[in-house]
């Protein structure tokens, strides 16, 4: 097969790549939030292909549990690694792989494509706004590819170089990821030495640790203390309290307000509205903890708050993240 004989076959419908170990949640979301037609569904590892469901081209309503969604996917049949790479380059410059089979072959194809940073990241970093496609080998001579995807993050996943020594908990990865996403969506500066932050449910201190690494002062509230190093930090004011019963007027103006509290989404939504209505902050990042079956109309209430985004982070579990940056 020469390059002229490479077959590019348009595929009806859309493809969705789930976050690792989140495929069932993605399927549930497509069923219950989108009423997607699953007739003819095919799975390729964590990639779901729905031939009878087409996503809006602007990705305004892409599923949260998909790390990336693919518009106008194509099946490409090729003979050699060179043919595969040249075909992708002829479509557009930037591509990221999703690999679930033929790993060595996929690596060799990627090496022939223009450079894209697929390495683990160090916090903080800036997400580029340039488009990136996604391809996946389904056998040695066939791939599924889409030049238009719902994110400019390769395969939709931010993966950090982890610090296994200093942070009090792995939850620190969530705030690092959500702050980078806030900058990407809203072009906002991250907290710094001139920022004062309020954190609800701070114990043992993973999020507070990140904020202190950025130089910010933190008012941390929980019923249990933080780790000793943070309790002794002069720029951390710790309060033993139920953070949700403290009013914004009692706390005062804050540059950022954060919450990773385990609570019902209804209570979190009420608390967020209190802060935003008070005018005491314009920037919030909160984890929406799901309780059993997801109440999609309730999630939509979070999404409808002006200047807000709902995302599923790579480091989220059965939860979503609310990001608000007001004007």
């Amino acid at each position: 097969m020469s390059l002229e004989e490479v077959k590019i076959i348009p595929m009806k419908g859309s493809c969705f790549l789930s976050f690792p170990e989140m495929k069932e949640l993605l399927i549930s979301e497509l069923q219950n939030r989108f009423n997607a037609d699953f007739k003819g569904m095919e799975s390729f590892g964590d990639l779901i292909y729905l031939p009878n469901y087409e996503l809006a081209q602007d990705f305004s309503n892409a599923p949260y549990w998909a790390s990336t969604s693919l518009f106008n996917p194509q099946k490409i049949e090729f003979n050699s690694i060179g043919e595969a790479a040249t075909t992708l380059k002829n479509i557009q410059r930037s591509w990221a792989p999703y690999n679930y089979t033929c790993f060595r072959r996929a690596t060799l194809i990627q090496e022939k494509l223009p450079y894209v940073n697929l390495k683990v990241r160090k916090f903080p970093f800036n997400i580029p706004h340039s488009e990136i496609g996604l391809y996946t080998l389904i056998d040695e001579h066939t791939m599924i590819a889409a030049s238009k995807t719902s994110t400019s993050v390769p395969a939709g996943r931010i993966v950090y170089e982890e610090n296994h020594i200093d942070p009090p908990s792995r939850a620190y990865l969530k705030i690092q990821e959500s702050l980078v996403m806030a900058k990407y969506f809203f072009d906002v500066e991250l907290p710094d030495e001139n920022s004062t932050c309020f954190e609800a449910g701070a114990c043992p201190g993973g999020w507070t640790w990140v904020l202190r690494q950025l130089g910010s002062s933190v008012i941390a509230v929980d019923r249990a203390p933080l780790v000793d190093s943070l309790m002794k930090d002069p720029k951390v004011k710790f309060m033993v309290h139920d953070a949700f019963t403290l009013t914004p007027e009692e706390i005062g103006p804050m540059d950022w307000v954060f919450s990773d509290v385990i609570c019902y989404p209804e209570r979190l939504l009420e608390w967020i509205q209190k802060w935003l209505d008070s005018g005491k902050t314009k920037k919030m990042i909160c984890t929406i903890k799901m309780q059993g079956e997801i109440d999609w109309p309730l999630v939509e209430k979070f999404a409808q708050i002006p200047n807000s985004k709902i995302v599923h982070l790579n480091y989220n579990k059965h939860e979503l993240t609310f990001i608000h940056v007001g004007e």
Side-chain angles (χ1 to χ4, degrees):
M1 182 186 290
S2 66
L3 189 59
E4 290 76 19
E5 295 174 315
V6 169
K7 293 182 180 179
I8 302 178
I9 306 163
M11 302 169 68
K12 297 190 305 177
S14 304
C15 291
F16 306 92
L17 178 63
S18 77
F19 285 97
E21 302 180 5
M22 298 289 171
K23 187 175 177 180
E24 293 306 314
L25 283 168
L26 173 58
I27 290 173
S28 176
E29 180 182 7
L30 288 166
Q31 289 173 329
N32 298 309
R33 181 179 170 214
F34 295 96
N35 297 313
D37 186 344
F38 277 73
K39 185 177 180 181
M41 183 189 93
E42 294 183 75
S43 291
F44 306 94
D46 287 332
L47 188 73
I48 297 170
Y49 170 49
L50 298 183
N52 295 301
Y53 180 77
E54 193 159 304
L55 193 64
Q57 187 169 357
D58 63 359
F59 298 108
S60 56
N61 213 18
Y64 300 125
W65 262 272
S67 65
T68 190
S69 301
L70 287 64
F71 185 78
N72 283 344
Q74 299 173 313
K75 185 174 288 187
I76 301 173
E77 297 177 356
F78 59 93
N79 187 59
S80 69
I81 289 165
E83 289 172 358
T86 300
T87 301
L88 292 175
K89 286 189 287 187
N90 287 344
I91 296 173
Q92 72 171 27
R93 180 197 181 279
S94 299
W95 292 90
Y98 160 61
N99 300 325
Y100 78 99
T101 188
C102 303
F103 295 96
R104 177 59 181 163
R105 197 166 179 82
T107 298
L108 294 173
I109 291 171
Q110 189 66 30
E111 288 174 351
K112 290 182 175 294
L113 294 174
Y115 177 76
V116 170
N117 188 353
L118 301 177
K119 297 178 181 178
V120 295
R121 303 285 187 162
K122 290 184 178 181
F123 175 79
F125 75 99
N126 293 325
I127 300 173
H129 284 271
S130 54
E131 288 191 353
I132 187 167
L134 184 94
Y135 68 93
T136 184
L137 296 182
I138 60 177
D139 60 44
E140 288 192 352
H141 301 291
T142 312
M143 69 171 75
I144 292 173
S147 60
K148 187 175 179 63
T149 64
S150 58
T151 176
S152 57
V153 176
R157 291 184 61 208
I158 294 174
V159 180
Y160 282 124
E161 181 179 303
E162 293 193 35
N163 182 337
H164 297 284
I165 299 172
D166 301 310
S169 71
R170 273 192 96 242
Y172 83 96
L173 294 162
K174 286 193 289 185
I175 188 174
Q176 287 186 341
E177 186 178 357
S178 57
L179 284 169
V180 165
M181 295 296 285
K183 185 171 178 59
Y184 172 70
F185 287 125
F186 299 105
D187 194 28
V188 65
E189 293 303 316
L190 302 188
D192 58 22
E193 63 274 6
N194 298 313
S195 303
T196 301
C197 305
F198 177 76
E199 186 191 348
C203 177
W207 288 30
T208 298
W209 179 83
V210 172
L211 295 171
R212 286 297 299 117
Q213 294 295 302
L214 293 170
S216 303
S217 299
V218 183
I219 298 175
V221 180
D222 207 324
R223 295 189 180 279
L226 311 182
V227 294
D228 287 346
S229 59
L230 292 173
M231 294 294 288
K232 296 173 182 176
D233 189 326
K235 293 192 73 173
V236 175
K237 178 182 177 181
F238 178 73
M239 301 171 64
V240 179
H241 214 287
D242 178 349
F244 282 10
T245 63
L246 292 170
T247 67
E249 290 73 21
E250 290 176 288
I251 301 300
M254 290 288 122
D255 296 298
W256 289 81
V257 172
F258 299 92
S259 170
D260 195 31
V261 172
I262 298 174
C263 68
Y264 287 106
E266 294 89 342
R267 192 179 186 208
L268 177 65
L269 179 62
E270 180 182 351
W271 184 75
I272 287 171
Q273 291 286 10
K274 282 182 180 178
W275 269 99
L276 297 181
D277 290 346
S278 74
K280 299 294 184 184
T281 192
K282 292 184 178 180
K283 297 185 282 288
M284 299 188 76
I285 292 177
C286 304
T287 307
I288 308 170
K289 308 280 187 176
M290 300 302 165
Q291 309 286 333
E293 288 296 319
I294 298 173
D295 184 341
W296 289 112
L298 180 59
V299 172
E300 184 60 23
K301 290 181 180 179
F302 285 90
Q304 288 174 350
I305 296 173
N307 304 308
S308 300
K309 293 286 291 186
I310 305 296
V311 296
H312 183 279
L313 304 174
N314 184 48
Y315 292 103
N316 278 146
K317 295 180 181 178
H318 188 47
E319 55 196 12
L320 296 171
T321 294
F322 169 83
I323 303 172
H324 172 88
V325 176
E327 298 176 351

